[in-house]
Amino acid sequence: TPFTKRIKVNGIDVVAPEKECLELGSGYFIADPTCSKWYFTSIWYSDSWDVEYLQRGLVHLTKDNAVAHAKAMIFAGEKHEA
């Protein structure tokens, strides 16, 4: 899209997570700073886990966006590029 919504996470500019439920069966990426890859993947079934990740602002449609978001969560107060 010509306009990509962005947010600040600990002062770092990242692509905003999804705000709406995904289409059933869609793959997505969850920003996770505790994971060695900085993300994990899931399939949208609209179950309680999917909805919780969405409400917490962790759902991304690309791996790169999820990784940048997860790194920004960790680098609070430091000068790092996500």
Side-chain angles (χ1 to χ4, degrees), residues 4-53:
T4 301
K5 178 137 176 70
R6 302 186 73 82
I7 61 169
K8 294 276 187 190
V9 175
N10 292 321
I12 298 171
D13 188 55
V14 298
V15 172
E18 297 302 304
K19 295 293 183 193
E20 303 292 329
C21 292
L22 305 182
E23 186 175 321
L24 286 176
S26 297
Y28 68 96
F29 300 86
I30 298 137
D32 185 353
T34 68
C35 186
S36 64
K37 299 181 297 184
W38 299 98
Y39 73 93
F40 63 96
T41 59
S42 190
I43 303 294
W44 188 269
Y45 294 112
S46 202
D47 62 14
S48 61
W49 288 107
D50 293 331
V51 172
E52 187 170 331
Y53 297 138

Side-chain angles (χ1 to χ4, degrees), residues 61-74:
L61 299 180
T62 71
K63 176 179 75 171
D64 290 343
N65 291 346
V67 168
H69 190 166
K71 287 182 177 182
M73 288 184 226
I74 291 292

